[in-house]
Amino acid sequence: MDQRNTGDPAHPHRVLVVEDEPALADTLAYSLTRQGYEITVTMDGAKALEIARRDQPDLVVLDVMLPSLDGFEVCRILRQEMSMPILMLTARTDEVDKIVGLEVGADDYLTKPFSMRELVARVKALLRRVRLVREEMAGAEKGEPSAPLAGEQLVFDDLVIDLGRREMSYQRCILHLKPKEFDLLVFLARNRGMVLSRDLILERVWGWDYDGGSRTVDVHVRWLREKIEADSSAPTRIVTVRGIGYRFEG
Ligand code: CA
Protein backbone atom coordinates (compact mmCIF):
# COMPACT_ATOMS: atom_id res chain seq x y z
CA MET A 1 0.00 0.00 0.00
CA ASP A 2 1.45 3.29 -1.01
CA GLN A 3 -1.10 5.97 -0.49
CA ARG A 4 -0.21 9.59 -0.37
CA ASN A 5 -2.31 11.75 1.85
CA THR A 6 -1.56 15.23 0.65
CA GLY A 7 -3.66 15.02 -2.47
CA ASP A 8 -0.51 16.26 -4.19
CA PRO A 9 2.19 13.60 -4.59
CA ALA A 10 4.72 16.20 -5.70
CA HIS A 11 4.49 17.89 -2.30
CA PRO A 12 4.20 15.25 0.39
CA HIS A 13 3.54 16.46 3.90
CA ARG A 14 6.68 16.79 5.97
CA VAL A 15 6.66 15.38 9.47
CA LEU A 16 9.32 15.96 12.10
CA VAL A 17 9.62 13.04 14.53
CA VAL A 18 11.31 13.84 17.86
CA GLU A 19 11.89 10.62 19.77
CA ASP A 20 14.97 9.41 21.62
CA GLU A 21 14.14 5.70 21.79
CA PRO A 22 15.88 4.43 18.64
CA ALA A 23 13.54 1.46 18.10
CA LEU A 24 10.41 3.60 18.41
CA ALA A 25 11.91 6.36 16.26
CA ASP A 26 12.62 3.79 13.53
CA THR A 27 9.13 2.35 13.71
CA LEU A 28 7.57 5.81 13.55
CA ALA A 29 9.71 6.79 10.58
CA TYR A 30 8.92 3.54 8.79
CA SER A 31 5.16 3.76 9.35
CA LEU A 32 4.89 7.41 8.36
CA THR A 33 7.12 7.03 5.30
CA ARG A 34 4.88 4.20 4.13
CA GLN A 35 1.98 6.64 4.26
CA GLY A 36 3.80 8.89 1.83
CA TYR A 37 5.02 11.49 4.32
CA GLU A 38 8.51 12.94 4.23
CA ILE A 39 10.10 12.23 7.60
CA THR A 40 12.93 13.85 9.51
CA VAL A 41 13.92 12.20 12.78
CA THR A 42 15.83 13.71 15.66
CA MET A 43 16.40 12.38 19.17
CA ASP A 44 17.14 15.69 20.80
CA GLY A 45 14.86 18.55 21.87
CA ALA A 46 17.16 21.44 21.09
CA LYS A 47 17.96 19.94 17.72
CA ALA A 48 14.22 19.60 17.06
CA LEU A 49 13.77 23.36 17.46
CA GLU A 50 16.59 24.02 15.01
CA ILE A 51 15.13 21.67 12.44
CA ALA A 52 11.60 22.99 12.87
CA ARG A 53 12.77 26.58 12.37
CA ARG A 54 14.73 25.62 9.30
CA ASP A 55 12.30 23.19 7.63
CA GLN A 56 8.90 24.43 8.83
CA PRO A 57 7.43 20.91 8.88
CA ASP A 58 3.69 20.37 8.46
CA LEU A 59 3.43 18.42 11.70
CA VAL A 60 5.61 17.49 14.67
CA VAL A 61 5.43 14.18 16.55
CA LEU A 62 7.06 14.99 19.86
CA ASP A 63 8.06 12.75 22.74
CA VAL A 64 7.90 14.26 26.24
CA MET A 65 11.02 12.76 27.79
CA LEU A 66 13.98 13.89 25.74
CA PRO A 67 17.59 14.76 26.38
CA SER A 68 18.68 18.45 26.56
CA LEU A 69 15.24 20.04 26.28
CA ASP A 70 12.09 18.11 27.15
CA GLY A 71 9.03 17.85 24.94
CA PHE A 72 7.05 20.32 27.07
CA GLU A 73 9.65 23.04 26.53
CA VAL A 74 9.96 22.25 22.84
CA CYS A 75 6.18 22.40 22.40
CA ARG A 76 5.89 25.66 24.29
CA ILE A 77 8.58 27.32 22.20
CA LEU A 78 7.25 25.96 18.89
CA ARG A 79 3.79 27.25 19.77
CA GLN A 80 5.11 30.76 20.18
CA GLU A 81 6.78 30.69 16.80
CA MET A 82 4.76 28.41 14.52
CA SER A 83 1.28 27.06 14.08
CA MET A 84 1.77 23.52 12.76
CA PRO A 85 -0.03 20.77 14.68
CA ILE A 86 1.92 19.02 17.42
CA LEU A 87 1.15 15.44 18.45
CA MET A 88 2.81 14.55 21.73
CA LEU A 89 3.87 11.10 22.90
CA THR A 90 3.90 10.38 26.59
CA ALA A 91 4.61 7.38 28.76
CA ARG A 92 2.62 8.78 31.67
CA THR A 93 -1.09 9.43 31.85
CA ASP A 94 -0.56 11.99 34.60
CA GLU A 95 1.14 14.24 32.06
CA VAL A 96 -1.88 14.37 29.80
CA ASP A 97 -3.50 17.40 31.45
CA LYS A 98 -0.34 19.36 31.05
CA ILE A 99 0.02 18.37 27.41
CA VAL A 100 -3.42 19.32 26.17
CA GLY A 101 -4.08 21.96 28.80
CA LEU A 102 -3.06 25.55 28.95
CA GLU A 103 0.54 24.99 29.89
CA VAL A 104 1.78 23.36 26.73
CA GLY A 105 -1.07 23.46 24.24
CA ALA A 106 -0.31 20.47 22.02
CA ASP A 107 -3.04 19.60 19.52
CA ASP A 108 -3.24 15.93 20.41
CA TYR A 109 -1.38 13.23 22.30
CA LEU A 110 -0.88 9.48 22.47
CA THR A 111 0.05 7.51 25.57
CA LYS A 112 2.69 4.81 25.14
CA PRO A 113 2.34 2.06 24.18
CA PHE A 114 0.20 2.89 21.15
CA SER A 115 -0.37 1.16 17.84
CA MET A 116 1.07 2.56 14.63
CA ARG A 117 -2.43 2.40 13.19
CA GLU A 118 -3.60 4.77 15.91
CA LEU A 119 -0.67 7.08 15.36
CA VAL A 120 -1.23 7.23 11.61
CA ALA A 121 -4.93 7.97 12.16
CA ARG A 122 -4.11 10.90 14.46
CA VAL A 123 -1.50 12.28 12.08
CA LYS A 124 -3.95 12.13 9.18
CA ALA A 125 -6.65 13.87 11.19
CA LEU A 126 -4.32 16.70 12.20
CA LEU A 127 -3.01 17.18 8.66
CA ARG A 128 -6.54 17.26 7.28
CA ARG A 129 -7.17 20.33 9.41
CA VAL A 130 -4.02 21.97 8.11
CA ARG A 131 -5.09 21.34 4.53
CA LEU A 132 -8.35 23.17 5.17
CA VAL A 133 -6.44 26.21 6.42
CA ARG A 134 -4.10 26.07 3.44
CA GLU A 135 -6.92 25.91 0.95
CA GLU A 136 -8.40 28.99 2.54
CA MET A 137 -5.08 30.77 2.35
CA ALA A 138 -4.63 29.86 -1.31
CA GLY A 139 -8.10 31.17 -2.03
CA ALA A 140 -7.43 34.37 -0.12
CA GLU A 141 -4.18 34.96 -1.97
CA LYS A 142 -5.97 34.67 -5.27
CA GLY A 143 -8.49 37.17 -4.02
CA GLU A 144 -11.13 34.47 -3.67
CA PRO A 145 -12.08 34.46 -0.02
CA SER A 146 -13.13 30.79 -0.28
CA ALA A 147 -16.39 31.67 -1.99
CA PRO A 148 -18.99 29.64 -0.15
CA LEU A 149 -21.56 27.57 -1.95
CA ALA A 150 -25.15 28.68 -1.58
CA GLY A 151 -26.56 27.11 1.54
CA GLU A 152 -23.14 26.11 2.89
CA GLN A 153 -23.33 26.03 6.66
CA LEU A 154 -21.18 25.18 9.63
CA VAL A 155 -23.36 23.65 12.33
CA PHE A 156 -22.41 23.21 15.99
CA ASP A 157 -25.54 22.17 17.88
CA ASP A 158 -27.41 25.42 18.49
CA LEU A 159 -24.87 27.54 16.62
CA VAL A 160 -25.32 27.68 12.86
CA ILE A 161 -23.05 29.71 10.62
CA ASP A 162 -24.47 30.33 7.16
CA LEU A 163 -21.51 31.10 4.94
CA GLY A 164 -23.50 32.06 1.87
CA ARG A 165 -25.73 34.57 3.65
CA ARG A 166 -22.99 35.59 6.11
CA GLU A 167 -25.41 35.07 8.93
CA MET A 168 -25.17 33.29 12.22
CA SER A 169 -27.94 31.93 14.35
CA TYR A 170 -27.65 30.93 17.96
CA GLN A 171 -30.46 29.08 19.67
CA ARG A 172 -32.53 29.68 16.54
CA CYS A 173 -32.20 33.46 16.68
CA ILE A 174 -30.40 35.12 13.81
CA LEU A 175 -27.74 37.44 15.15
CA HIS A 176 -26.07 40.16 13.18
CA LEU A 177 -22.31 40.27 13.39
CA LYS A 178 -19.91 42.93 12.26
CA PRO A 179 -17.98 41.79 9.17
CA LYS A 180 -14.77 41.07 11.08
CA GLU A 181 -16.65 39.32 13.86
CA PHE A 182 -18.18 37.05 11.26
CA ASP A 183 -14.84 36.41 9.53
CA LEU A 184 -13.24 35.63 12.88
CA LEU A 185 -16.01 33.22 13.84
CA VAL A 186 -15.71 31.40 10.51
CA PHE A 187 -11.94 31.16 10.81
CA LEU A 188 -12.16 29.79 14.35
CA ALA A 189 -14.97 27.40 13.48
CA ARG A 190 -13.28 26.04 10.38
CA ASN A 191 -10.21 25.27 12.47
CA ARG A 192 -12.10 23.84 15.39
CA GLY A 193 -10.01 21.99 17.89
CA MET A 194 -6.82 23.73 16.76
CA VAL A 195 -4.89 26.15 18.89
CA LEU A 196 -4.70 29.40 16.91
CA SER A 197 -2.27 32.08 17.96
CA ARG A 198 -3.32 35.73 18.04
CA ASP A 199 -0.78 36.49 15.34
CA LEU A 200 -2.11 33.78 13.05
CA ILE A 201 -5.68 34.99 13.59
CA LEU A 202 -4.68 38.59 12.90
CA GLU A 203 -2.90 37.59 9.73
CA ARG A 204 -5.73 35.44 8.37
CA VAL A 205 -8.70 37.52 9.41
CA TRP A 206 -7.34 41.06 9.27
CA GLY A 207 -4.57 40.52 6.75
CA TRP A 208 -0.83 41.06 6.60
CA ASP A 209 -1.04 44.81 6.35
CA TYR A 210 -3.24 45.35 9.40
CA ASP A 211 -1.24 47.42 11.85
CA GLY A 212 -3.47 47.25 14.92
CA GLY A 213 -2.20 45.05 17.73
CA SER A 214 -3.36 41.61 18.75
CA ARG A 215 -5.66 43.23 21.31
CA THR A 216 -8.02 43.57 18.37
CA VAL A 217 -8.41 39.81 18.38
CA ASP A 218 -9.20 39.76 22.10
CA VAL A 219 -11.81 42.44 21.75
CA HIS A 220 -13.56 40.67 18.87
CA VAL A 221 -13.44 37.37 20.75
CA ARG A 222 -15.09 39.08 23.71
CA TRP A 223 -17.88 40.39 21.47
CA LEU A 224 -18.40 36.96 19.94
CA ARG A 225 -18.49 35.30 23.32
CA GLU A 226 -21.23 37.64 24.45
CA LYS A 227 -23.27 36.38 21.51
CA ILE A 228 -22.54 32.66 21.38
CA GLU A 229 -21.60 31.57 24.88
CA ALA A 230 -24.16 30.56 27.50
CA ASP A 231 -21.92 32.30 30.03
CA SER A 232 -19.40 34.61 28.40
CA SER A 233 -17.33 34.79 31.58
CA ALA A 234 -16.86 30.99 31.49
CA PRO A 235 -16.61 30.32 27.76
CA THR A 236 -16.85 26.75 26.52
CA ARG A 237 -16.94 27.44 22.78
CA ILE A 238 -14.13 29.91 22.19
CA VAL A 239 -11.59 28.78 24.73
CA THR A 240 -8.57 30.86 25.73
CA VAL A 241 -5.24 29.09 25.40
CA ARG A 242 -3.14 31.05 27.83
CA GLY A 243 -0.12 32.77 26.37
CA ILE A 244 -1.04 31.68 22.83
CA GLY A 245 -4.50 32.49 21.60
CA TYR A 246 -7.77 30.66 21.18
CA ARG A 247 -9.32 27.35 20.28
CA PHE A 248 -12.84 26.76 19.02
CA GLU A 249 -14.61 23.75 20.50
CA GLY A 250 -17.07 22.35 17.99
CA1 CA B 1 11.78 9.46 25.47
Side-chain angles (χ1 to χ4, degrees):
M1 189 181 73
D2 180 24
Q3 267 186 310
R4 301 215 178 241
N5 294 296
T6 60
D8 180 1
H11 299 97
H13 277 123
R14 290 167 310 143
V15 178
L16 171 60
V17 173
V18 191
E19 170 59 66
D20 63 324
E21 283 169 53
L24 181 54
D26 282 353
T27 311
L28 287 167
Y30 174 77
S31 303
L32 291 169
T33 305
R34 268 187 56 155
Q35 293 295 318
Y37 302 126
E38 218 175 88
I39 310 300
T40 309
V41 179
T42 179
M43 305 196 168
D44 177 279
K47 196 88 189 166
L49 283 178
E50 257 176 58
I51 295 171
R53 286 175 182 137
R54 186 192 65 203
D55 295 353
Q56 306 273 320
D58 299 297
L59 181 138
V60 179
V61 177
L62 179 59
D63 187 29
V64 172
M65 294 301 288
L66 293 168
S68 83
L69 199 58
D70 73 25
F72 292 136
E73 256 331 284
V74 174
C75 186
R76 206 173 290 140
I77 296 169
L78 284 179
R79 268 286 162 266
Q80 287 164 7
E81 301 179 11
M82 290 166 241
S83 60
M84 85 284 271
I86 300 174
L87 171 63
M88 293 199 81
L89 309 178
T90 177
R92 289 167 42 187
T93 45
D94 61 347
E95 288 173 335
V96 167
D97 283 350
K98 199 171 172 185
I99 291 171
V100 292
L102 300 176
E103 273 178 85
V104 176
D107 297 279
D108 203 355
Y109 68 93
L110 279 172
T111 309
K112 296 177 185 178
F114 50 81
S115 70
M116 284 301 134
R117 180 198 287 253
E118 181 66 23
L119 175 107
V120 166
R122 301 292 182 94
V123 165
K124 279 185 188 169
L126 288 169
L127 287 172
R128 210 172 295 133
R129 294 191 208 160
V130 171
R131 195 174 57 209
L132 292 176
V133 176
R134 280 204 180 149
E135 282 169 2
E136 281 205 350
M137 275 176 74
E141 274 162 19
K142 280 184 266 166
E144 306 160 2
S146 52
L149 303 167
E152 193 186 347
Q153 293 183 331
L154 301 173
V155 181
F156 308 94
D157 302 324
D158 51 3
L159 174 67
V160 179
I161 306 168
D162 187 321
L163 299 169
R165 303 166 75 106
R166 287 183 63 86
E167 259 174 17
M168 179 203 76
S169 67
Y170 177 58
Q171 297 179 341
R172 297 186 180 191
C173 295
I174 291 179
L175 296 176
H176 295 284
L177 301 182
K178 298 187 180 81
K180 284 298 175 208
E181 272 181 287
F182 186 83
D183 293 342
L184 172 63
L185 179 63
V186 170
F187 182 66
L188 292 171
R190 279 194 163 148
N191 296 292
R192 63 187 164 278
M194 255 177 111
V195 178
L196 303 165
S197 72
R198 288 181 175 76
D199 286 344
L200 181 76
I201 295 170
L202 260 188
E203 180 190 311
R204 299 292 155 72
V205 177
W206 277 266
W208 282 104
D209 46 354
Y210 181 76
D211 54 7
S214 59
R215 279 283 300 147
T216 307
V217 176
D218 300 331
V219 170
H220 281 74
V221 165
R222 203 174 66 224
W223 290 340
L224 277 179
R225 279 174 173 163
E226 283 164 6
K227 291 170 181 151
I228 65 168
E229 297 279 0
D231 175 0
S232 64
S233 62
T236 55
R237 210 152 232 159
I238 304 177
V239 180
T240 301
V241 182
R242 200 172 58 203
I244 302 165
Y246 299 98
R247 186 179 62 233
F248 187 91
E249 298 292 349

